[in-house]
Amino acid sequence: MNTTLSHPAALDDAQAESRSCDTTGLKVCLTAQRFIKLNAVSAVVFLLLGGIAALLLALTRWQTVHLLPIDWFYRILTFHGLNMLIFWILFFEVAILYFACTIPLNSRLFSRKIAWVSFAMMLVGAVMTNVVILQGKADVMMTSYLPLLAHPLFYLGIILVAVGTLIAVFNFFATLFIAKKHRTYEGSIPLVTFGALAAAIIAVVTLLHGAIVMIPTFTFSMGWTAEPDPMWYRLIWWGLGHQSQQVNVCAMVAVWYLIGNLATGAKPVNETVCRGAFVLYILFINLASAHHLLVDPGVSAAWKIWNTSYAMYLAVLASMIHAFTVPASIEIAMRQKGHTKGIFGWIPALPWRNPAFSAAAYSLLIFGFVGGITGVTLGTQQINIIAHNTLRIPGHFHATVVGGTSLAFMGLAYYVIPLIFRKDFILPKLARIQPWLFGSGILLLSFGMSFAGSLGVSRRVYDIDHAGIYGPAAHLFLAMLGIGGIIAFTGLLLFALLCVGTLLFGKSNAGRPMADWGTAKTLPNAPGEKLPNLHWAMKGTFVLTGIFLLSFAVYYFANWKALADVWHVR
């Protein structure tokens, strides 16, 4: 956050509505602070609701337990999807947007009234949607594919959440404008703000897709218009469904850079390259959503191949750039601090006791090695033929959205609460194990889903025993899914209790720096900025990249072998 002040008038205006952070020294806009708090607290509530639903689902897909009756299984599946993939993520991302456009830029939030309107619409919409689902009037699952039809309030609730979020994004853009106009910073905006800007641009396109598809479906549910074409619905819906996850990816990557800087002092290896990677997300991530329609007969083979064999790889390239530059920048920072021994000597010296850092690092590992490798492979048209609608698909996106995004957001909360709420975390020893507990549970759950899906177990199916074709191995992997779900929920519950407990009982840090989670230590005689040969200083990251590419090649070609086994070409 190398922002400097340059405009006295703007500074006076900011000071009138701001306080100085006792830890970072940055100015904190009090209006932005209020809405960061409101959105972050709401996000954690929806995370907890979605997590409870996740536990019930895991204990139902675990065939030996089979907890829920069939009607409640689909009801809770709908509830889980919307709370975890939409409400928790969107509320937290709005908090990130308000942070990124004010504090690093020393700017005030553009409008308090707009922020209230946005928050009220999102909250009313989310509560309305949840109530309708729990009343049994919207057992349509998250995709709500037509001709399945829910109660009109289900669609109206989602529309309110989408429009409320769009209003928050407008407030973000307007704040960037006044910060630039008042010259509250010099040079380019910081990388974390640039990442948030990329997320906001994708969010606009995403939410417009949501409006295009949900408004006519709402009017149809009211009996005012004819039924929209189901194929048209599926095509447009994925402009909402998949892109919303790419908003998450942009925000998650921005959080990786931010936590890497706060915990180790890491600076991007090359800011131009990093910003270029964010631009690749904006340009190509929408096209990559085509992989959800690879077995849909309504779109042509040429369209599918272009989107999933060419455009998708440009979006994947962006993730690979970030997956290299984040650890590379951290490695350089550690070597500058004197941890120069061998290829991996800097890794043990990282601040692993800092829950924010461990959450971000574990998030990067799960997202790259599990979510990334499986995502590229399953997004290939030919391989998708043997994986589509099996449990392998949720096995992939639980690794990306939950193990990646949610874990990174949890890590950010370990800084947000002390800095914004001005309360030190209670029970820091439990906080230090929480990311490992949650991440390990998600890994186990994801592996259980993926292996069961490899045996043909379908997603969104209540009971696999009626088919009479699955052996002990499938049941073993479903048990793994259930046990992983229990561990992950324990980690999630611990996170929620730590956050709520800190807000209620945490010791105030007003007037002093926040309690130190731990940062990377600088050794005596450390070379600092004089570290020679920066390229060679990234040798550990180069080796890690080689391990990643080797893992990808093994998984990718193993899937082609599996495809050849079921699809003989003579």
Side-chain angles (χ1 to χ4, degrees):
M1 298 180 183
N2 51 354
T3 311
T4 55
L5 306 177
S6 62
H7 194 283
L11 179 61
D12 293 341
D13 185 47
Q15 285 178 333
E17 301 179 359
S18 66
R19 65 174 176 84
S20 180
C21 177
D22 298 309
T23 302
T24 64
L26 297 172
K27 296 295 179 186
V28 179
C29 169
L30 296 182
T31 302
Q33 174 180 277
R34 173 184 297 168
F35 290 100
I36 291 171
K37 289 180 177 179
L38 289 172
N39 283 282
V41 168
S42 302
V44 172
V45 171
F46 290 116
L47 172 69
L48 183 59
L49 293 175
I52 293 171
L55 179 65
L56 297 175
L57 293 172
L59 294 178
T60 305
R61 287 311 305 258
W62 184 356
Q63 196 74 25
T64 305
V65 180
H66 214 44
L67 180 65
L68 294 173
I70 186 168
D71 53 345
W72 275 96
F73 172 74
Y74 290 105
R75 195 162 300 153
I76 295 299
L77 188 56
T78 308
F79 186 86
H80 167 69
L82 283 163
N83 279 278
M84 294 299 268
L85 287 174
I86 302 294
F87 303 152
W88 139 247
I89 295 288
L90 285 185
F91 276 98
F92 202 87
E93 283 171 351
V94 170
I96 290 177
L97 290 182
Y98 288 158
F99 165 83
C101 69
T102 57
I103 298 174
L105 303 184
N106 188 39
S107 176
R108 64 175 176 84
L109 191 65
F110 172 69
S111 171
R112 181 188 293 119
K113 292 180 180 178
I114 288 177
W116 272 120
V117 170
S118 161
F119 178 73
M121 290 183 70
M122 291 177 66
L123 187 62
V124 170
V127 171
M128 180 189 297
T129 305
N130 277 341
V131 170
V132 172
I133 293 172
L134 293 177
Q135 287 177 336
K137 299 177 180 177
D139 297 338
V140 292
M141 294 179 282
M142 181 178 159
T143 48
S144 56
Y145 280 156
L146 291 171
L148 291 174
L149 194 61
H151 191 280
L153 291 181
F154 172 81
Y155 304 107
L156 182 60
I158 295 175
I159 291 170
L160 286 174
V161 173
V163 175
T165 308
L166 203 54
I167 291 172
V169 172
F170 169 78
N171 213 2
F172 168 82
F173 287 134
T175 304
L176 291 186
F177 175 77
I178 62 170
K180 183 70 175 178
K181 180 181 178 182
H182 294 161
R183 293 185 292 161
T184 61
Y185 63 97
E186 289 183 345
S188 303
I189 57 175
L191 190 59
V192 63
T193 306
F194 190 86
L197 174 61
I201 292 172
I202 299 174
V204 170
V205 182
T206 302
L207 295 167
L208 289 177
H209 277 85
I212 292 171
V213 76
M214 282 297 161
I215 291 174
T217 309
F218 167 69
T219 57
F220 167 60
S221 70
M222 293 293 293
W224 297 340
T225 58
E227 178 182 352
D229 179 73
M231 176 58 224
W232 172 86
Y233 179 96
R234 289 196 297 276
L235 180 65
I236 304 300
W237 192 92
W238 280 111
L240 162 71
H242 188 78
Q243 282 199 102
S244 61
Q245 309 318 312
Q246 306 315 317
V247 179
N248 306 341
V249 171
C250 280
M252 173 187 69
V253 172
V255 169
W256 287 346
Y257 283 114
L258 177 63
I259 292 179
N261 176 266
L262 293 174
T264 69
K267 299 176 183 177
V269 176
N270 187 316
E271 282 222 13
T272 303
V273 171
C274 296
R275 290 168 193 258
F278 279 116
V279 173
L280 286 177
Y281 281 141
I282 297 172
L283 295 178
F284 294 104
I285 210 68
N286 182 26
L287 301 175
S289 64
H291 68 259
H292 292 281
L293 302 171
L294 287 178
V295 296
D296 199 308
V299 288
S300 69
W303 183 85
K304 295 172 185 174
I305 291 171
W306 158 251
N307 282 279
T308 60
S309 297
Y310 297 97
M312 185 180 78
Y313 293 144
L314 294 173
V316 171
L317 176 63
S319 290
M320 294 187 70
I321 290 172
H322 292 305
F324 176 82
T325 57
V326 171
S329 63
I330 291 174
E331 181 179 358
I332 289 174
M334 294 301 290
R335 292 187 185 279
Q336 288 175 336
K337 291 177 182 294
H339 304 282
T340 57
K341 186 178 180 181
I343 296 177
F344 296 128
W346 53 280
I347 293 179
L350 290 168
W352 294 111
R353 286 171 53 80
N354 180 334
F357 179 80
S358 60
Y362 209 4
S363 155
L364 195 156
L365 189 69
I366 296 174
F367 182 86
F369 275 85
V370 184
I373 288 176
T374 59
V376 174
T377 305
L378 299 178
T380 306
Q381 183 178 11
Q382 296 88 338
I383 294 175
N384 193 270
I385 296 296
I386 59 172
H388 198 84
N389 273 341
T390 71
L391 266 178
R392 291 180 70 184
I393 303 301
H396 150 69
F397 67 69
H398 276 79
T400 55
V401 180
V402 190
T405 303
S406 291
L407 189 52
F409 287 2
M410 287 177 176
L412 183 61
Y414 289 112
Y415 278 121
V416 167
I417 289 179
L419 293 177
I420 301 299
F421 290 82
R422 307 177 86 179
K423 294 283 189 74
D424 284 337
F425 262 88
I426 62 170
L427 305 173
K429 290 183 179 178
L430 287 178
R432 289 189 168 96
I433 66 170
Q434 184 274 326
W436 301 107
L437 188 66
F438 181 75
S440 300
I442 288 300
L443 262 184
L444 197 60
L445 178 140
S446 175
F447 286 151
M449 286 181 165
S450 297
F451 286 127
S454 298
L455 296 174
V457 176
S458 298
R459 61 186 296 199
R460 295 172 166 176
V461 168
Y462 172 68
D463 184 0
I464 68 167
D465 277 347
H466 74 280
I469 59 174
Y470 298 108
H475 287 79
L476 174 66
F477 292 130
L478 290 178
M480 182 187 291
L481 181 163
I483 294 170
I486 294 172
I487 296 172
F489 177 75
T490 305
L492 186 154
L493 183 62
L494 180 57
F495 172 76
L497 292 175
L498 285 168
C499 291
V500 175
T502 298
L503 297 185
L504 295 176
F505 309 112
K507 188 175 181 181
S508 171
N509 60 28
R512 63 172 175 81
M514 63 173 273
D516 185 13
W517 283 119
T519 55
K521 305 300 181 188
T522 301
L523 300 180
N525 302 319
E529 298 290 337
K530 298 178 181 177
L531 181 70
N533 198 345
L534 284 183
H535 292 91
W536 186 239
M538 296 183 283
K539 55 188 175 184
T541 305
F542 280 121
V543 174
L544 291 174
T545 303
I547 295 172
F548 170 82
L549 293 176
L550 180 62
S551 303
F552 173 76
V554 169
Y555 186 81
Y556 190 77
F557 289 108
N559 274 272
W560 279 98
K561 176 66 172 58
L563 179 63
D565 289 342
V566 298
W567 188 6
H568 294 286
V569 178
R570 301 180 189 279

